[in-house]
Amino acid sequence: MTWDTIVTASPTFILGLPLLFAFLTTLVGRFSKRLGKLLFGVGLLLTTFFVGVMSYQVLTDGSWFYVFGAEQPSPENLLSFFRITFVADGFAVLATLTIAITALAAGIYSYSFMKGESGLNKFYTLFLLTLAGVNGMVLTGDLFNLFVWFEVTSVASCALVAFRNYKGKSVEAGLKYMVLSTVGGLFVLFSIGLLYGQYGVLNYALLREGITGTFIDKLALGILVVMFAMKSSSVPMQMWAPDAYGEAPGSVTPFIAITSMGSLFVLFRLLFGVFSVSISPAASGSILIILGVLSMIVGVTMALVQSDLKRLIAYLSVSQIGYMMMAVGVGLATLNTGEYESFGELAMQGGLFHMINDGVYKALLFLSAVAVVHATGIRSLNELGGVAHKMPYTTFFFLLGALSIAGIPPLSGFSSKLLIYKSVYLYSPILVIIALVVSIITLAIIGKAFFNAFLGPNQGLVKNHISKTMLLSMGILTAVLVLFTLFPNVVVTEIVSPAIEGLIGSFEGVLP
Amino acid sequence: MSWDAFFMTMPYLAVVILLSIGLYTVLFKKNLIKIIMGIAIMQNGANLFLVSLAYRDGYYAPIFTSAESTDMVMPTAHALTLTSIVIGLATTALMLSFTIMIKRHYGSINTEDVRRCKE
Amino acid sequence: MIDIGIVLEDMWSPIIFIVIVLLNLGLAYWLFKMGDPTYNKTEHSGEPFISGNRPPEDVRKIHVAGDNLFWGFTDALKRYFEPLIEGHTGRLNDYMYWVVITLAVVLVYIYLVV
């Protein structure tokens, strides 16, 4: 097996390695806990390495389909599409990079954060299974696999939320998330059946050409949009999100948040890749815009009245999801019209850049807030105060993430929001006014959280020590954030633009 | 409508009935066990839907028989159904074990009582 | 070769922004240096000043607690916030209602518009 073969097969490694190491950690962990712990780290690093390999290959040489046991599909070789297909294109690169950065940070953070818990081998298994599931969801090229990985993600991430099952609230949040995900998965399966019954194919590329926009197609589209919007915690189906984010073990909270962003990636892929040809993109784009605006407003105002630090950030993340849905929705609404050239593409750039940005700074915000909770044992903002005296590094990290989520220049959150404002203004000025107001309220909320938790006289609340690995994990995120901050145009041209090309054109021209 | 065509629509009727019963249970029943039973009913409805989609009158099941390969049905939907059944087992088991934990912590499995996460 | 230009969409460059901020900070420091260096710290400098009242003994009472911030804003918009907070009932059935209602609305929208 030469290096070229490995590079071509890198999508398989990205989801196969976490799957392998997930069960290896439990198996080895029975005999040696230290070795199991080590294997978890090795699995994470190897997965990240192959994400890097795939990204490099896609960004230098262009995208490809990876088919199990068959040649690359082409107009002459369509039978390959009836096999299991993975798509390695710019969009998959954007998604897997976002996931990998967060997973790496959350994994490193877990090492010392979870020290006191029992059954850690199972925790590592669930973590890696979730990673495999999300990666599979964004890499797959057919609906069959989409359903399987969707359910793998649901089961593993819900078990992860309820991992501390000695706490009633954790189990409650896990059950709620699980019931919603399962019902969502069933509806997804039902709509897959609707599409399969009509066209007899499950592959995105074949479906794209097949779908004609019948009554049943519209039913399938509606179900898919709502269920994936539900999984990505869009208002009015956001209620599981604050519960799950708030009650999950602190170190995996950003990782649970990234699974919902993975669902958003899948939603975009389906809308652009499969449905945009036959069903008017303007209408499906307007659904995204409406859901996005609702998420922005409701998420941010609910965050204002929270007094629990983790729930507050959870609601902020709901409102950030709204930004992405709105921006990409504008891109979708203008697709195939002259407006796409003038501002639709810019809106897509802003939206997708905001996604990878948000993955980084939200993780930073969550992890530094969790560090405060870990050190003090207090989550209520009414009781916290003066933590900055004892935790200068964490304060710095929180401040960076906070200013970035509020879109304060020069941080990277501002760069992506600027692109969104500039382009969406040409579509509808009212949307930009709403977005600006939401941004201002976000700043107020972040100010409240920062003032309450970190500033003020030292009350001697800090009891536990923040370990070096926790700081390292936040440091990695900060380094990425600083890179995004300093070179936003490099990210936009090198990662986001190929992602847009892949999103719109990956399944084009493969059929004769 | 001929009798044959009517009989061909029967499975879809059953699918609709099963899905509605399941959805009704999830929406209106307060007992967590009953909600999970509703989800299981919905799962069966979805599985029945896939299986009845894959049925072709006059063709054979895709297993080793002496039939011509052109006379066999495409097994994708069957594979999907099998996968879905296995996944359904996993999700049901996980939800039931969550319910056990909730009964231990809260002393109740009524959704009116299981609501400490709110606001 | 990756082109490291510094201008995003011809309107925004974080590096130039940071340089300008640093220049301003330098200017501020220069102005600060021009001030009177003979200021001497007294015993009470650095303590909180609450309209001339003596600050409370307990340090916890100096800090403003979370719910008190933006109280005026949330109280003025009570009629908006209360239904939202009460809408998040924590009841599993209600979570499902919202999913089904959204599904129904989106389907109606799709059939009417598309």
Side-chain angles (χ1 to χ4, degrees):
Chain A
M1 199 154 72
T2 60
W3 177 243
D4 283 347
T5 327
I6 295 178
V7 169
T8 318
S10 51
T12 336
F13 287 105
I14 290 173
L15 63 99
L17 281 173
L19 213 54
L20 173 72
F21 277 90
F23 297 108
L24 218 55
T25 36
T26 320
L27 209 65
V28 174
R30 289 185 76 89
F31 307 110
S32 156
K33 285 214 169 103
R34 289 177 65 95
L35 203 57
K37 220 172 164 179
L38 186 73
L39 278 177
F40 169 67
V42 172
L44 265 181
L45 283 177
L46 275 178
T47 314
T48 316
F49 170 71
F50 276 103
V51 169
V53 168
M54 189 187 87
S55 311
Y56 181 77
Q57 186 68 15
V58 169
L59 298 180
T60 51
D61 273 9
S63 60
W64 73 92
F65 290 100
Y66 182 74
V67 184
F68 280 84
E71 292 294 309
Q72 175 92 351
S74 61
E76 296 80 40
N77 187 17
L78 280 181
L79 271 182
S80 285
F81 270 133
F82 286 90
R83 292 169 177 265
I84 292 174
T85 316
F86 285 144
V87 193
D89 63 352
F91 190 65
V93 166
L94 179 79
T96 45
L97 269 182
T98 314
I99 294 162
I101 294 168
T102 313
L104 196 64
I108 295 172
Y109 199 90
S110 298
Y111 266 140
S112 54
F113 182 82
M114 298 296 285
K115 224 168 218 166
E117 312 278 339
S118 56
L120 275 182
N121 288 316
K122 279 140 200 148
F123 172 80
Y124 298 142
T125 307
L126 289 172
F127 191 104
L128 288 172
L129 271 181
T130 315
L131 181 59
V134 192
N135 278 337
M137 243 162 61
V138 296
L139 279 172
T140 178
D142 61 278
L143 290 172
F144 191 145
N145 267 291
L146 174 63
F147 170 70
V148 173
W149 295 117
F150 181 88
E151 291 286 1
V152 168
T153 315
S154 300
V155 172
S157 60
C158 296
L160 214 48
V161 169
F163 184 76
R164 290 192 286 199
N165 57 9
Y166 51 85
K167 281 180 159 183
K169 276 175 111 179
S170 296
V171 183
E172 182 195 333
L175 178 79
K176 284 173 178 168
Y177 186 17
M178 187 74 218
V179 169
L180 287 184
S181 309
T182 313
V183 174
L186 284 175
F187 272 105
V188 168
L189 182 64
F190 183 69
S191 61
I192 291 172
L194 291 175
L195 292 175
Y196 181 79
Q198 292 181 88
Y199 308 111
V201 286
L202 290 169
N203 194 284
Y204 292 169
L206 299 181
L207 271 178
R208 179 191 172 92
E209 305 297 321
I211 287 176
T212 47
T214 59
F215 184 85
I216 294 176
D217 288 339
K218 288 176 186 170
L219 183 61
L221 172 73
I223 292 174
L224 285 173
V225 167
V226 171
M227 291 310 150
F228 280 103
M230 185 266 282
K231 275 285 275 185
S232 50
S233 71
S234 147
V235 172
M237 301 164 288
Q238 90 287 16
M239 286 154 178
W240 64 266
D243 296 358
Y245 297 173
E247 301 306 327
S251 61
V252 292
T253 314
F255 194 49
I256 305 289
I258 221 71
T259 61
S260 63
M261 212 196 279
S263 309
L264 200 60
F265 279 120
V266 175
L267 177 60
F268 293 160
R269 167 141 267 168
L270 288 176
L271 283 176
F272 280 91
V274 180
F275 287 100
S276 68
V277 180
S278 47
I279 293 177
S280 131
S284 36
S286 58
I287 297 175
L288 277 189
I289 294 172
I290 294 167
L291 286 177
V293 169
L294 273 178
S295 306
M296 270 158 45
I297 299 173
V298 175
V300 87
T301 45
M302 281 298 279
L304 192 61
V305 291
Q306 297 300 318
S307 54
D308 180 322
L309 187 53
K310 277 175 83 181
R311 279 179 83 88
L312 186 143
I313 301 173
Y315 271 113
L316 281 185
S317 101
V318 169
S319 101
Q320 296 302 308
I321 291 278
Y323 273 95
M324 304 156 201
M325 290 180 93
M326 184 188 76
V328 180
V330 167
L332 183 61
T334 56
L335 193 66
N336 301 333
T337 63
E339 287 175 332
Y340 181 77
E341 291 296 322
S342 56
F343 61 84
E345 193 175 4
L346 197 60
M348 299 268 298
Q349 280 178 356
L352 294 183
F353 184 29
H354 201 63
M355 288 184 92
I356 188 163
N357 243 338
D358 183 66
V360 175
Y361 62 65
K362 199 161 67 189
L364 188 60
L365 204 53
F366 264 127
L367 290 182
S368 46
V370 165
V372 172
V373 177
H374 180 69
T376 59
I378 302 170
R379 286 172 54 173
S380 169
L381 285 174
N382 290 330
E383 294 161 30
L384 278 169
V387 181
H389 292 274
K390 292 283 176 195
M391 305 169 73
Y393 296 112
T394 313
T395 311
F396 173 69
F397 292 141
F398 187 89
L399 198 58
L400 264 186
L403 294 179
S404 198
I405 203 171
I408 300 295
L411 286 150
S412 62
F414 175 75
S415 307
S416 52
K417 278 185 182 174
L418 185 67
L419 293 181
I420 294 176
Y421 296 150
K422 189 190 176 193
S423 54
V424 175
Y425 182 80
L426 296 170
Y427 182 76
S428 158
I430 295 172
L431 294 181
V432 173
I433 293 169
I434 293 173
L436 278 169
V437 170
V438 168
S439 201
I440 292 165
I441 304 178
T442 308
L443 182 62
I445 293 163
I446 278 302
K448 168 186 165 179
F450 187 70
F451 174 77
N452 276 142
F454 291 93
L455 301 185
N458 187 4
Q459 301 181 11
L461 294 173
V462 178
K463 296 185 187 70
N464 294 328
H465 178 64
I466 296 296
S467 72
K468 289 226 168 60
T469 43
M470 286 176 166
L471 290 177
L472 170 71
S473 124
M474 290 189 268
I476 292 173
L477 288 171
T478 309
V480 178
L481 187 66
V482 166
L483 276 182
F484 285 0
T485 298
L486 289 182
F487 307 109
N489 61 322
V490 176
V491 181
V492 167
T493 48
E494 300 296 324
I495 299 178
V496 175
S497 298
I500 296 171
E501 274 169 37
L503 194 54
I504 293 170
S506 257
F507 304 109
E508 241 169 14
V510 275
L511 293 191
Chain B
M1 198 203 276
S2 71
W3 277 109
D4 277 356
F6 177 70
F7 280 123
M8 287 299 281
T9 59
M10 287 291 275
Y12 299 106
L13 209 63
V15 168
V16 171
I17 292 170
L18 282 175
L19 284 181
S20 348
I21 291 175
L23 206 55
Y24 173 82
T25 318
V26 174
L27 284 180
F28 296 108
K29 289 292 172 190
K30 302 282 182 193
N31 189 321
L32 282 178
I33 302 271
K34 285 183 186 168
I35 289 178
I36 295 167
M37 282 165 75
I39 292 176
I41 293 172
M42 282 172 78
Q43 260 158 6
N44 291 337
N47 290 339
L48 182 62
F49 180 59
L50 288 172
V51 171
S52 31
L53 280 178
Y55 179 75
R56 293 279 182 277
D57 204 14
Y59 289 85
Y60 296 98
I63 41 180
F64 281 109
T65 59
S66 50
E68 290 288 317
S69 66
T70 48
D71 288 349
M72 289 181 185
V73 291
M74 182 87 176
T76 318
H78 303 115
L80 193 51
T81 314
L82 276 178
T83 319
S84 154
I85 289 171
V86 175
I87 288 171
L89 182 74
T91 52
T92 314
L94 187 64
M95 282 188 289
L96 284 172
S97 53
F98 281 167
T99 313
I100 296 172
M101 300 305 295
I102 282 179
K103 173 74 181 170
R104 270 186 207 154
H105 287 294
Y106 290 44
S108 162
I109 50 168
N110 192 318
T111 49
E112 293 289 338
D113 303 326
V114 187
R115 43 186 289 206
R116 286 185 203 167
C117 298
K118 55 181 178 181
E119 285 179 357
Chain C
M1 192 61 204
I2 296 175
D3 168 38
I4 308 184
I6 50 166
V7 180
L8 182 70
E9 286 301 318
D10 301 334
M11 57 185 171
W12 162 240
S13 160
I15 292 175
I16 293 174
F17 183 88
I18 290 171
V19 167
I20 291 172
V21 166
L22 286 180
L23 284 180
N24 279 325
L25 282 178
L27 191 68
Y29 185 71
W30 180 66
L31 286 175
F32 169 75
K33 273 285 159 191
M34 283 175 49
D36 183 7
T38 57
Y39 163 80
N40 51 347
K41 279 194 172 181
T42 59
E43 193 186 340
H44 294 290
S45 62
E47 282 183 4
F49 178 77
I50 307 175
S51 313
N53 298 327
R54 187 178 289 276
E57 292 291 319
D58 185 6
V59 283
R60 286 167 177 273
K61 289 190 178 153
I62 298 173
H63 199 52
V64 182
D67 283 346
N68 300 333
L69 275 177
F70 305 125
W71 174 84
F73 187 74
T74 46
D75 197 60
L77 295 175
K78 220 180 202 167
R79 290 177 61 186
Y80 168 77
F81 279 110
E82 273 181 354
L84 268 185
I85 294 171
E86 280 161 21
H88 195 135
T89 52
R91 209 180 286 124
L92 185 51
N93 304 94
D94 291 358
Y95 291 19
M96 281 305 303
Y97 287 147
W98 280 111
V99 175
V100 174
I101 289 170
T102 318
L103 181 60
V105 171
V106 166
L107 283 178
V108 167
Y109 181 81
I110 286 179
Y111 284 123
L112 288 183
V113 173
V114 181

